[in-house]
Amino acid sequence: MLIRKPEIPSSEITPEATYLNRRQFFGAAAGALAASALPTSLAACTMDEAEAAQRDEPNSYEDITSYNNFYEFGTDKSDPARLASRTLRTRPWTVEIGGLCDRPGRYAFDDLVRPHQKVDRTYRLRCVEAWSMVIPWRGIPLRDVLARARPRPGARFVEFTTLLDPAQMPGQRRSVLDWPYVEGLRMDEAMHPLTLLATGLYGRDLPAQNGAPLRLVVPWKYGFKSIKSIVRIRFTERMPATSWARSAPTEYGFYANVNPAVDHPRWTQARERRIGEWRKRATLPFNGYPEVASLYRGMDLRRNF
Ligand code: MTE
């Protein structure tokens, strides 16, 4: 495999020790999993696979920032890198948190992020289009931000919305999707310790094309759940109507858990191409994060795709 080195100063690259910490984190999570009973269709993912996910080499900084999906800037993979930084103004940036919570508010980006401990986590990103990357994110656990807003007991879901401004996001002049881009998580998914609000990658601020200044990262779900350039977070009682599920409900579900046993109607999800590699590899249940399986115990994951 050809891995290109990132062209950024070594002082800005996350130290290796940080990635090793992640291994300890997953070691603990793997123990918890062993103690839980898996639905039979998921039992195929062994501890060896979970361990393998941790050893993945990150993709190069160049790969991660030049091959993107960000339809607000065009549908070609090279459009976001070419166009997003030209028009997207990421400061000042305001995020509104509201809905079913006791402490709603409008936060300037720095006020939202600063009180929380930043973490570095290298995660696989598996796109629904059957390609994948390994990305060293920097961010804050989403649950820390959500807890601050004091969600009410009736809050069962969290809805996220991207900026709507065709002047800054020229792709919104075309009706590829019903803008703005909306995504959602069930409350327990949003509060899971793996779920991040990413503000950077490779130890640097997020580039515009990767969803600056902050985007969601949910590593066990198809990449379309990881919504970029978020301006609104809302606690809801009902399952949010998400962009892709509204646009093609037979192809994209709300849950969107990576699942090699459930094909997309137009292609297989059993295999994937890691960007930078030629030979396809097997896709792992939950993208190689089996510790989340207990969130879906008793659910039919074919129906809730
Ligand atoms: N968020 C917004 N607002 N608009 C998008 O088009 N594309 C999604 C997701 N988040 C998208 C988005 C898809 S399909 C994927 S695979 C990932 O972003 C890609 O993230 P990356 O470009 O950082 O690899």
Side-chain angles (χ1 to χ4, degrees), residues 110-260:
D110 286 332
D111 297 334
L112 182 76
V113 169
R114 208 186 300 111
H116 303 288
Q117 176 90 43
K118 288 234 172 107
V119 294
D120 290 282
R121 303 259 181 81
T122 297
Y123 285 154
R124 300 159 162 211
L125 181 138
R126 168 57 157 83
C127 186
V128 73
E129 299 162 327
W131 53 266
S132 64
M133 286 207 210
V134 179
I135 304 180
W137 299 109
R138 172 165 290 180
I140 49 182
L142 175 65
R143 65 177 180 176
D144 294 352
V145 171
L146 298 186
R148 218 165 121 200
R150 302 257 172 92
R152 296 199 180 131
R156 296 179 53 231
F157 296 91
V158 189
E159 180 190 82
F160 304 85
T161 308
T162 295
L163 176 72
L164 176 64
D165 182 354
Q168 291 191 62
M169 297 183 152
Q172 290 177 338
R173 296 199 181 106
R174 292 172 55 204
S175 49
V176 183
L177 282 173
D178 187 9
W179 310 110
Y181 197 103
V182 172
E183 258 309 332
L185 294 173
R186 216 171 54 190
M187 198 66 184
D188 56 348
E189 299 174 324
M191 297 301 278
H192 194 279
L194 286 179
T195 306
L196 280 191
L197 267 183
T199 57
L201 60 87
Y202 266 115
R204 305 170 117 192
D205 285 349
L206 271 187
Q209 60 267 35
N210 292 92
L214 86 165
R215 55 97 54 90
L216 189 65
V217 179
V218 197
W220 70 94
K221 293 180 178 284
Y222 291 117
F224 68 85
K225 297 296 288 184
S226 292
I227 179 174
K228 297 177 169 183
S229 304
I230 296 166
V231 293
R232 198 162 74 126
I233 299 176
R234 212 161 61 91
F235 297 97
T236 64
E237 188 191 344
R238 299 230 171 131
M239 182 181 280
T242 56
S243 292
W244 282 106
R246 265 190 294 151
S247 147
T250 57
E251 302 194 6
Y252 309 103
F254 176 83
Y255 285 95
N257 293 317
V258 174
N259 190 343

Side-chain angles (χ1 to χ4, degrees), residues 61-84:
Y61 185 81
E62 203 204 321
D63 279 347
I64 296 167
T65 59
S66 62
Y67 189 90
N68 300 101
N69 272 341
F70 201 170
Y71 280 14
E72 286 86 339
F73 297 97
T75 51
D76 198 276
K77 299 285 180 270
S78 62
D79 287 340
R82 214 161 34 83
L83 301 172

Side-chain angles (χ1 to χ4, degrees), residues 46-59:
T46 64
M47 276 309 113
D48 286 351
E49 286 166 340
E51 175 62 24
Q54 297 161 48
R55 283 198 304 267
D56 279 348
E57 283 283 351
N59 279 88

